[in-house]
Amino acid sequence: MDINDSELLRVELTKVVSDYYPISLEFSNEPRAGNVALKKKIEQKINELINVGELIFCNALELEIKRLFSDHLVFVENYKQFPNYAISIELLKREFAEIDIVYNLKLRVSLLTNHFTAFYEEISFHKNSSNMLSKFMPVKLHLISSIAKIADRDGDYLSLLVNAVEKCLLGYKFVSHYLLFNTTIEIGTPHGLDEFTPKSGGYPIYAFLFDNEYNSMDNVYITY
Amino acid sequence: MTKKIYLLVILFFGLVPGMKNGEFFINAGFTTSAQTGFFDIEICGRGTTEVELLEDDLGTTYRTTSCTVTLDCDTGEETTEPYDCNVSDQFVSKWDGTGGDNGGSGGSGGGDAVEVVFDQNDALLCGYYPTVKVGNGYTGGNGNLGFTMTITSSAGTTTVPVLIGSSCFSVGGTGMNPALASTAISIAYNAAVTEVMYLVKYSIIPANSVSLRAALILAVSANMALLPGGSYSSGNCLGTVPKTTANYSCN
């Protein structure tokens, strides 16, 4: 993807965010028609999961991913209260005395746009350090990348996943995590995060359209 | 005078790195969950541990006792007595505004710490929070979350309401069930309340309602994120998810 394509994509995705969120305006999400539509999508997803137990839309994709990654733990996380389909694949877990490291391959399909993203996530639990004053809580750091040589020596897994999604969800296009995390919207609050205390500096497009899981972003490192 | 009040009976079991299969660590706090629970390997059953509240003239200690036991993975029954028990004091404060503060306020080692108090009967969650199975996770909502913090400094005493109102939580992962999900939100919330108290005590955050609310939400979210598929957000859940009014009266 060249620079012009990236810019066009940024503009396109920012436009989608503005359809669902009041960005660049200091208004609450609540009264907006776009917010009503966003909530409707989540409500439909959650109720389908409660009533049917699975999502018809991505059932075939789930089965395909479980087949492709049959040697790994596949966590289907569609219960998230966010307009997305979410799957995490645990590729590798290493435990040491001072630190635990987990490598995941994550897929996030947005229900607000016909885009999806996939990336490797390295989570490290630092067991010698606490991030709380009152009791011990290990420091948890995330490193997000399109490369994970330790967990995916041949570098195949990400493209395997992307190909599976493009095959199952026709019309959906892959977008790089790097663009999503490095395009920040300064005013506006992603669904599920606290509107009364917005984060200084804003949130990345990823948090508006794909998942709000890294809500503070303080312990998240984005690499290419 | 010392009186003991036994508060909670809970908790998580997870395989701890380095332990043999069937050997489990029991803990009433999130420490164990954090180290073992993000991707639970195996859960063989449930058990009990105790959190004591020790009150005396000096204040209150929230004390956790954690032990290691060996469980039968088929029956979930303990095959050994608990051993390697550790007693740790989670924090020291006073609940009712009387007596001193072990945290060191005004003392020679106390630095800038101020005295921070909340009534445990109004602040700490208890009871059962129903969830519904949503795909591979469990989701529940609660309302009326919040508490009032009393802060005493050289400038005088102030009370600050810390209100979240409604919120939504989810947990997933292997071995999760409604009882564990309910326990998870209570522990995550109560640990966060304690943490916010410390943040004020040592003047790390401004002691106003907006700041404390944000800190509380962030702390609950961080605690829940240590669990498999755990998440937390302010505001109501979407979909036909049960919502339960926060219960403080069973403390």
Side-chain angles (χ1 to χ4, degrees), chain A residues 21-113:
Chain A
Y21 299 93
I23 61 171
S24 302
L25 296 169
E26 294 191 23
F27 294 146
S28 165
N29 285 343
E30 284 294 336
R32 300 257 304 182
N35 185 252
V36 173
L38 181 151
K39 286 184 171 178
K40 190 81 184 162
K41 287 174 188 284
I42 301 172
E43 206 169 340
Q44 282 172 349
K45 179 182 89 162
I46 298 297
N47 284 343
E48 188 178 337
L49 280 169
I50 292 171
N51 298 328
V52 183
E54 61 187 17
L55 299 176
I56 295 162
F57 175 79
C58 65
N59 192 28
L61 177 60
E62 267 181 52
L63 293 174
E64 178 64 2
I65 290 172
K66 284 177 178 170
R67 187 187 70 78
L68 289 170
F69 295 94
S70 57
D71 292 340
H72 300 92
L73 291 171
V74 176
F75 298 93
V76 180
E77 302 165 317
N78 289 333
Y79 53 82
K80 283 170 175 282
Q81 294 262 327
F82 197 84
N84 69 2
Y85 295 134
I87 290 179
S88 294
I89 303 153
E90 186 184 314
L91 299 177
L92 183 66
K93 182 176 184 180
R94 289 194 168 175
E95 296 167 348
F96 304 96
E98 304 84 4
I99 189 169
D100 288 352
I101 302 177
V102 179
Y103 291 93
N104 294 319
L105 177 57
K106 300 186 89 163
L107 169 67
R108 296 293 183 263
V109 180
S110 176
L111 295 183
L112 303 179
T113 171

Side-chain angles (χ1 to χ4, degrees), chain A residues 39 42-43 46-47 49-51 53 73 75-81 90 93 95 100 102 104 123 125 127 131-138 140 191-194 196-197 215-216, chain B residues 17 29-31 34-35 38-39 90 132-137 139 168 170 172 191 194-195 198-199 204 210 213-214 217-219 221 223 225-226 229 233-234 237-241:
Chain A
K39 286 184 171 178
I42 301 172
E43 206 169 340
I46 298 297
N47 284 343
L49 280 169
I50 292 171
N51 298 328
L73 291 171
F75 298 93
V76 180
E77 302 165 317
N78 289 333
Y79 53 82
K80 283 170 175 282
Q81 294 262 327
E90 186 184 314
K93 182 176 184 180
E95 296 167 348
D100 288 352
V102 179
N104 294 319
I123 305 174
F125 294 92
K127 297 185 286 190
N131 66 359
M132 281 199 165
L133 291 167
S134 54
K135 65 195 308 182
F136 182 81
M137 290 282 188
K140 181 185 178 187
H191 176 78
L193 302 188
D194 190 27
F196 297 102
T197 50
N215 52 4
S216 77
Chain B
F30 257 71
T31 306
Q35 292 176 355
F38 191 79
F39 294 103
Q90 303 290 320
V132 64
K133 194 167 192 314
V134 184
N136 297 321
T139 302
C168 185
S170 295
T194 306
E195 181 66 9
Y198 264 68
L199 294 174
I204 293 169
V210 173
R213 178 179 188 275
I217 291 171
L218 203 59
S221 299
N223 292 345
L226 289 170
S233 60
S234 57
C237 298
L238 296 169
T240 51
V241 174

Side-chain angles (χ1 to χ4, degrees), chain B residues 15-39:
Chain B
L15 203 56
V16 172
M19 286 186 169
K20 295 187 288 290
N21 186 26
E23 190 174 63
F24 288 81
F25 186 77
I26 303 176
N27 194 312
F30 257 71
T31 306
T32 301
S33 319
Q35 292 176 355
T36 68
F38 191 79
F39 294 103

Side-chain angles (χ1 to χ4, degrees), chain B residues 2-17:
Chain B
T2 298
K3 56 180 177 178
K4 292 184 178 182
I5 304 168
Y6 290 91
L7 277 183
L8 301 175
V9 177
I10 325 179
L11 238 267
F12 295 100
F13 293 100
L15 203 56
V16 172

